[in-house]
Amino acid sequence: MTDSTGAFPGLVPSPAAPKVARAAGYEIEEELRAAPSGSGHPVVIAGVDEVGRGAWAGPVVVCAAVTDLSPPPVLPGRGKKTIALTDSKLLTHAHRDAFAEILPGWLAGHAIGASSPEEIDELGMTAALRRAAVRALEALPVQPDVVILDGKHDFLSRPWRVRCEVKADQRSVTVAAASVLAKVHRDRLMADLGDDFPGYGFADSAGYPSPVHQKALEEQGPTPHHRLSWSYLDDLPRWRHMKKHRDPLAGEGQLSLL
């Protein structure tokens, strides 16, 4: 986990077999639907999840997803076992890709929103994350009555009615679907950027710190897709002059160059 300035206490772990995934369910959605909506129609629930918050390069991406509370799709596993939908981090790359192919046809609606590195530098991560989430929610075919966010922090707030839940991406089918679609979308986007900027390892690291990424930064400096307000630049003497700082007295969106 990174802090708000992009500090990253460790490197991206090497690929390994994910933990045994617990199937996401509908307990949170059912509880929300049981509460009176006052609107006369069934409560529309959107699950929201983000990816890319702690990366050094690339956008932060948010997916908003809506289900009809029908049983979610599963993937064939070994023997008679099946692979259940859950937090994208608990699925293999192949299983994420497979779910990403079938989820759009199963979901009642979904949309992707993003905030660019420039917006992250200008606004700070919380505001950039909210902007990306609003873009996703407003692009849904139907506007939700309530939004489930993974974690404790409500980065969305009014006018949205928000329910924050720890490990929602493992407990809520709706959030799990958003988690998978957000990660696959961003991973593919970063892989495409890797074709334009070989040597940074974007296809493998997705813009997070890794030995390959760090070495390329030291030798070649940041690309146009790097976040220039992040603290990694403090450790790059040749490129430290590029670091951007928001001026708290000048209001949101004002930047100065160190």
Side-chain angles (χ1 to χ4, degrees):
M1 183 65 66
T2 61
D3 60 24
S4 61
T5 63
F8 200 91
L11 301 179
V12 171
S14 58
K19 299 176 183 178
V20 176
R22 172 179 177 267
Y26 278 125
E27 58 176 294
I28 301 172
E29 289 88 341
E30 292 290 2
E31 181 181 338
L32 291 170
R33 282 173 64 92
S37 67
S39 62
H41 62 75
V43 176
V44 177
I45 301 166
V48 166
D49 204 10
E50 54 80 20
V51 64
R53 188 191 303 229
W56 290 357
V60 63
V61 170
V62 173
C63 179
V66 177
T67 79
D68 60 3
L69 273 68
S70 63
V74 296
L75 301 175
R78 293 182 179 179
K80 296 183 179 180
K81 295 183 178 180
T82 57
I83 308 299
L85 180 62
T86 188
D87 172 14
S88 64
K89 296 185 293 295
L90 300 180
L91 298 169
T92 66
H93 178 88
H95 290 154
R96 287 195 297 269
D97 280 350
F99 270 123
E101 292 301 315
I102 59 178
L103 283 173
W106 171 75
L107 288 168
H110 80 284
I112 297 285
S115 285
S116 68
E118 292 84 3
E119 290 175 297
I120 294 169
D121 288 336
E122 292 171 2
L123 303 174
M125 178 51 73
T126 299
L129 193 56
R130 184 180 193 278
R131 181 176 287 188
V134 169
R135 286 168 176 162
L137 288 166
E138 290 183 343
L140 287 172
V142 58
Q143 291 303 287
D145 299 301
V146 60
V147 176
I148 305 173
L149 291 183
D150 180 34
K152 297 180 180 180
H153 176 53
D154 178 8
F155 59 79
L156 191 56
S157 194
R158 294 188 221 174
W160 308 93
R161 178 185 166 202
V162 175
R163 172 77 169 263
C164 292
E165 289 286 347
V166 175
K167 295 190 181 298
D169 47 9
Q170 298 179 39
R171 299 168 52 212
S172 161
V173 169
T174 315
V175 178
S179 171
V180 169
L181 292 173
K183 180 162 178 56
V184 171
H185 177 91
R186 188 178 186 280
D187 283 354
R188 290 175 178 174
L189 183 152
M190 294 307 296
D192 288 343
L193 290 181
D195 293 338
D196 297 329
F197 297 93
Y200 289 83
F202 287 161
D204 296 321
S205 71
Y208 283 83
S210 69
V212 170
H213 189 178
Q214 291 180 338
K215 183 179 179 181
L217 276 169
E218 291 171 1
E219 295 176 352
Q220 303 177 52
T223 71
H225 301 283
H226 277 86
R227 303 169 187 181
L228 298 181
S229 59
W230 252 220
S231 62
Y232 69 86
L233 277 169
D234 295 336
D235 299 321
L236 300 173
R238 289 179 59 193
W239 313 103
R240 196 178 297 157
H241 65 281
M242 298 178 65
K243 187 171 181 180
K244 293 182 178 180
H245 296 262
R246 285 195 313 281
D247 182 354
L249 299 179
E252 183 179 82
Q254 298 300 312
L255 287 169
S256 61
L257 286 174
L258 181 66

